[in-house]
Amino acid sequence: MSKFNSEKVLPRYLFLAVMLTIIGLAVVTKAGITMTVKKSYWETVAKRLRSDSDSVRPNRGNILSSDGQLLASSIPEYKIFMDYQAGSKEDTAWARKRDSIWYADLDSLCIGLNHIFPEWTPEQFKARLEEGKHKEITNSKTGEKTIGARHWAVWPKRISYNTYCEVQELPFFNMPSNKGGFHAEKFEARRRPFGSLAERTIGDIRSFEGGKDTARFGIELSYDSILRGKYGIERKEKVLNKKVSFTVKPPVDGADIVTTIDVGMQDLAEQAVIEGLKKWNASMGVAILMEVKTGDVKAIVNMRRGADGEYHEQFNDAISYRCEPGSVFKVASFLVALDDGVIPGDTSFQIPTGNGIMKMHGANMKDHNWHHGGYGTINVARALEVSSNIGVSYVIDKFYGSNPTKYVEGLYRVGIGQDLKLPIVGYLPPNIRMPDTKTSNKALYWSKTTLPWMSIGYETQIAPINTVTFYNAIANNGRMMRPRFVKQFLKEGQVVYETQPEVIKEQIAKPQAIKTMQTILRHVVSQGLGKRAGSHSFQVSGKTGTAQVAKAGGYKSGTVEYWLSFCGYFPSDDPRYTCIVCIKKMGLPASGGLMSGGIFHHISEGVMAKSLKLRVEDARDSLLAFAPDVKGGDNAASTYILNELGIKNAATPETPVKITEGKMPDVIDMGARDAIYLLERQGVKVQLHGMGRVKRQSIAAGSELKQGMVCVLELQ
């Protein structure tokens, strides 16, 4: 090994140390110059190359009916603004040129805005735009004052995409936003094509400034995470004076939801409930229509009278309004007794109801006909047919008075107290308390009168959805189905998940007990108090209910309202649908069979009529040769129908209506579809009132057409 030569090595190390010191000093000096002398230069470069990340909103999923009709969908809406300081401040030449273009196009711009928004005159638009242009703006940070608003609303309301495109074509507004200053904010508006139909169940979205939205209730809220989708990320990099967008993470659109709601049945049920509420001057009405085999909720109605005197969906009372159900609860009481075998299945057990008034542990139990002498001695079946309070309470108190816990456990066993665990926000499970004499809470204390009054539907709180689910189980031979509101989830039209009908209880009671109750419920409608709910076309089974609802001070000191109900299923021999109708009204008359049963009658007959399948051949008279009148319009449809009906040598459809460009056509006697077809081809917006053929049009035939005109058509 050679000896270390310090005379050769040390000078080399010294040279390297000096070089590294010089380089270090150069780096520090350069950094100091960059941080001080060239600070403003590099800050300008950084601003020009700045990168911003924004979240990208996904498209919210649609809500569909069971047959695929659109119940709720998102559409874009816009608010339009002007930035009077658009462009670079240093480019004074462009600023002067922009002002000259502005004043040259201002009158044309205002006239164009007036055509699109006829509510304001051109003079009003001009005053509005001039106000924004001369508005003095003060910078909150620097205190600098400038002339011209930066975000001046051109029109105060949101507009549709088509209207936004029209506005963009106007003079000056058709310039790039960084030049002319016209810009817009985009919002996602939730729209329901069928208006308020099943509004509280479908739900709603409240949109806020800045594009935010919040689901409020119903399916929109319960399935918000599925409908909303997932936000994406978009990066915008500023290069010179332009911003270039790059998608970092694409958004994931929300899934579409297919509900169990049938639009036709829902509309039918709503109309029947509203007509019944008006007829009986009631304050609230609820109806639920359920498919027996699946538990699918085909219609759900929640109507309350508003301040304007009209009926609207304000709360989802069908799933959340817990109250004392009244006599519809008697079916559960007797089913418990039948299932326990304490009364014979042939319902021959005799009940001494006497003259209609019976002492129950010191309190008077009355039948509704006590002032006519009561029903005397009747059997179990007759007790339900005439809805005898004494008949039911006597049986339950006699056989369960010494052990009320067994009775309450039986109520839960047959499913009337079942927590349905519905996916819809707002559902409240039944409140049926167990016997407890030690509690200090008066509302929970179990007295000697609790059992007989509970057996006839008092001292419990149950929402209509639980009652109809219980009756649906009886119709379904004892199998209790969970109410289903959603059937499928779709992505791009493909089913990604399908919910299945869910059985809550395979058998709520013994088959013989169920069969006996089915017979009794059929007799309630055919020969009892439920006759108004029946039909001449098919058999109906069900039970009436009338309960007093105390307000402001109790039954004696306060005002008493009535909770009237009818719950049943149809047709009795092969049940397809179960339905409950409840209304709340003040004062007499008050009859669940007459009032709620009458509404049930209209719903059941309407639903069955829609399901009838009639052959066209059966309605055709072979001896009658006729040629139907066909009004002008989209004649391809009428020709197709005539051919499908097999009508030979029919008269040629009328000559299409003569259309003069710029003139209002005559659409009297046309069907709604053809009238809309003709008018919208002329650029006229249409509003329909009524059903049938057009009998009146608000704009006379031959009138000169103007852009944005709205024609109201009255149909009969």
Side-chain angles (χ1 to χ4, degrees):
M1 180 180 290
S2 62
K3 188 177 180 180
F4 177 76
N5 190 344
S6 60
E7 295 181 357
K8 292 183 179 180
V9 175
L10 288 178
R12 296 176 184 173
Y13 277 112
L14 180 63
F15 175 76
L16 288 175
V18 170
M19 292 298 297
L20 290 174
T21 302
I22 294 174
I23 293 173
L25 290 173
V27 171
V28 172
T29 302
K30 183 65 174 177
I33 294 173
T34 300
M35 295 169 62
T36 56
V37 179
K38 293 188 176 183
K39 178 181 178 181
S40 59
Y41 169 79
W42 286 111
E43 284 181 345
T44 303
V45 172
K47 289 180 180 179
R48 294 171 65 186
L49 298 176
R50 186 176 59 213
S51 175
D52 297 326
S53 294
D54 295 326
S55 59
V56 183
R57 175 195 290 271
N59 293 318
R60 189 175 182 86
N62 300 319
I63 298 178
L64 309 171
S65 68
S66 59
D67 58 351
Q69 298 189 67
L70 201 60
L71 296 178
S73 181
S74 295
I75 60 172
E77 288 187 342
Y78 300 83
K79 287 194 73 173
I80 51 178
F81 302 91
M82 267 298 296
D83 178 4
Y84 293 96
Q85 298 184 40
S88 174
K89 294 183 179 179
E90 292 77 16
D91 195 352
T92 55
W94 165 247
R96 289 193 296 270
K97 181 179 180 182
R98 181 183 61 199
D99 286 345
S100 64
I101 298 174
W102 170 260
Y103 286 110
D105 292 340
L106 183 58
D107 289 338
S108 299
L109 172 61
C110 293
I111 292 173
L113 288 171
N114 166 252
H115 285 160
I116 298 173
F117 309 107
E119 294 93 330
W120 284 10
T121 64
E123 291 74 19
Q124 287 176 302
F125 275 111
K126 187 172 183 179
R128 173 70 183 170
L129 294 174
E130 285 289 338
E131 181 185 355
K133 184 169 180 59
H134 297 98
K135 189 176 182 64
E136 186 179 86
I137 304 297
T138 302
N139 191 310
S140 59
K141 294 182 179 179
T142 64
E144 179 185 2
K145 293 186 177 180
T146 55
I147 302 299
R150 301 304 306 263
H151 198 60
W152 188 253
V154 177
W155 179 248
K157 302 176 184 178
R158 295 184 187 180
I159 60 177
S160 66
Y161 175 74
N162 290 336
T163 304
Y164 172 59
C165 291
E166 289 184 55
V167 174
Q168 275 189 311
E169 298 298 320
L170 296 176
F172 199 85
F173 284 0
N174 55 10
M175 300 171 62
S177 59
N178 64 330
K179 293 287 186 180
F182 174 73
H183 60 284
E185 282 187 2
K186 183 180 178 181
F187 300 86
E188 290 293 329
R190 202 66 167 169
R191 291 291 179 265
R192 294 188 298 270
F194 292 98
S196 62
L197 201 73
E199 178 179 3
R200 295 303 303 189
T201 303
I202 296 171
D204 194 16
I205 295 292
R206 176 175 290 173
S207 296
F208 298 93
E209 299 301 321
K212 296 181 180 179
D213 59 60
T214 302
R216 298 175 61 194
F217 45 80
I219 292 173
E220 294 276 19
L221 177 58
S222 301
Y223 295 92
D224 183 52
S225 60
I226 296 175
L227 288 164
R228 184 184 296 275
K230 295 182 180 179
Y231 280 76
I233 299 175
E234 183 180 74
R235 179 166 295 162
K236 296 180 180 179
E237 295 192 359
K238 190 173 182 181
V239 180
L240 298 177
N241 288 325
K242 295 183 179 180
K243 281 190 176 182
V244 181
S245 299
F246 300 94
T247 300
V248 177
K249 179 182 177 182
V252 178
D253 291 340
D256 295 339
I257 290 180
V258 179
T259 69
T260 60
I261 299 295
D262 182 283
V263 171
M265 295 181 184
Q266 178 71 34
D267 183 54
L268 172 69
E270 284 193 11
Q271 294 302 318
V273 170
I274 291 174
E275 289 176 8
L277 294 177
K278 290 180 178 178
K279 180 178 180 180
W280 302 112
N281 192 28
S283 60
M284 188 174 96
V286 168
I288 306 171
L289 182 68
M290 180 183 292
E291 200 170 63
V292 170
K293 300 301 181 185
T294 62
D296 287 0
V297 177
K298 308 306 291 183
I300 179 168
V301 182
N302 302 276
M303 291 294 169
R304 288 197 183 195
R305 184 162 51 203
D308 58 357
E310 298 298 323
Y311 295 95
H312 314 279
E313 290 220 349
Q314 302 175 40
F315 303 95
N316 203 337
D317 296 309
I319 67 171
S320 62
Y321 188 78
R322 293 189 303 191
C323 66
E324 295 173 318
S327 297
V328 292
F329 191 83
K330 295 173 181 176
V331 174
S333 295
F334 267 4
L335 185 60
V336 171
L338 285 168
D339 194 48
D340 286 340
V342 298
I343 56 177
D346 59 3
T347 68
S348 60
F349 182 80
Q350 298 296 303
I351 307 170
T353 66
N355 62 358
I357 302 177
M358 179 179 287
K359 283 287 185 180
M360 288 279 184
H361 305 287
N364 283 334
M365 176 70 71
K366 294 182 179 180
D367 279 338
H368 67 91
N369 71 333
W370 65 271
H371 52 285
H372 293 305
Y375 290 108
T377 301
I378 56 178
N379 63 22
V380 169
R382 188 60 180 167
L384 279 188
E385 290 173 14
V386 297
S387 196
S388 171
N389 293 332
I390 296 175
V392 177
S393 60
Y394 175 87
V395 169
I396 299 303
D397 189 64
K398 176 179 177 63
F399 294 107
Y400 296 95
S402 60
N403 186 10
T405 300
K406 182 178 180 182
Y407 166 74
V408 178
E409 289 175 346
L411 292 177
Y412 282 96
R413 185 179 71 248
V414 299
I416 191 67
Q418 180 76 36
D419 183 354
L420 302 177
K421 298 183 177 358
L422 298 184
I424 306 299
V425 175
Y427 165 69
L428 295 176
N431 181 13
I432 303 176
R433 68 185 191 274
M434 297 294 291
D436 185 359
T437 57
K438 298 180 180 180
T439 179
S440 59
N441 188 338
K442 187 177 180 180
L444 299 178
Y445 182 79
W446 188 277
S447 68
K448 291 183 178 180
T449 60
T450 299
L451 181 62
W453 261 262
M454 178 183 283
S455 69
I456 62 172
Y458 288 94
E459 301 202 28
T460 60
Q461 290 78 41
I462 299 177
I465 189 69
N466 283 90
T467 303
V468 75
T469 302
F470 167 68
Y471 275 74
N472 192 76
I474 296 175
N476 201 24
N477 295 320
R479 173 180 286 188
M480 178 171 280
M481 307 299 298
R482 193 182 309 280
R484 186 168 65 152
F485 293 86
V486 172
K487 293 174 63 177
Q488 296 174 331
F489 299 92
L490 309 178
K491 289 286 285 187
E492 298 179 354
Q494 301 297 316
V495 177
V496 294
Y497 181 76
E498 184 168 1
T499 64
Q500 299 297 323
E502 185 179 352
V503 179
I504 302 176
K505 287 178 175 289
E506 192 64 45
Q507 197 70 33
I508 65 171
K510 297 182 180 69
Q512 183 57 44
I514 294 294
K515 186 176 180 180
T516 300
M517 188 55 66
Q518 289 174 340
T519 303
I520 295 174
L521 293 180
R522 185 164 63 249
H523 290 167
V524 169
V525 177
S526 63
Q527 57 196 40
L529 297 183
K531 290 181 180 179
R532 292 298 296 267
S535 170
H536 295 297
S537 303
F538 50 89
Q539 279 192 325
V540 173
S541 300
K543 180 70 182 71
T544 62
T546 303
Q548 293 182 355
V549 182
K551 286 185 61 179
Y555 292 106
K556 295 181 180 179
S557 59
T559 303
V560 177
E561 286 186 314
Y562 291 92
W563 181 252
L564 312 173
S565 53
F566 182 90
C567 191
Y569 52 87
F570 57 94
S572 299
D573 53 348
D574 184 20
R576 296 173 59 185
Y577 299 101
T578 306
C579 180
I580 187 171
V581 175
C582 306
I583 65 174
K584 186 164 73 170
K585 72 179 295 289
M586 187 80 68
L588 298 173
S591 168
L594 172 65
M595 299 171 182
S596 296
I599 298 173
F600 180 99
H601 167 81
H602 292 303
I603 294 175
S604 62
E605 289 216 324
V607 169
M608 292 301 289
K610 285 179 176 292
S611 65
L612 292 177
K613 296 181 179 180
L614 301 178
R615 299 193 313 165
V616 174
E617 293 82 355
D618 296 337
R620 183 186 305 146
D621 187 347
S622 60
L623 301 178
L624 177 62
F626 72 99
D629 295 331
V630 182
K631 192 73 175 177
D634 186 3
N635 289 328
S638 58
T639 302
Y640 171 79
I641 292 173
L642 293 176
N643 290 336
E644 286 295 311
L645 291 174
I647 300 176
K648 305 299 182 181
N649 301 319
T652 304
E654 288 184 10
T655 303
V657 174
K658 183 178 180 182
I659 298 177
T660 304
E661 190 67 28
K663 300 292 184 181
M664 171 62 67
D666 180 10
V667 295
I668 300 296
D669 289 332
M670 280 190 182
R673 180 175 178 181
D674 284 336
I676 295 173
Y677 172 78
L678 286 178
L679 294 182
E680 290 191 345
R681 288 185 63 188
Q682 300 299 306
V684 179
K685 297 179 180 179
V686 179
Q687 291 183 359
L688 298 178
H689 291 167
M691 299 175 61
R693 288 177 174 265
V694 178
K695 294 303 179 185
R696 283 178 293 277
Q697 58 187 83
S698 62
I699 303 176
S703 301
E704 185 176 349
L705 297 179
K706 295 181 180 179
Q707 190 173 10
M709 291 183 76
V710 178
C711 183
V712 179
L713 303 181
E714 295 187 19
L715 312 178
Q716 288 183 0

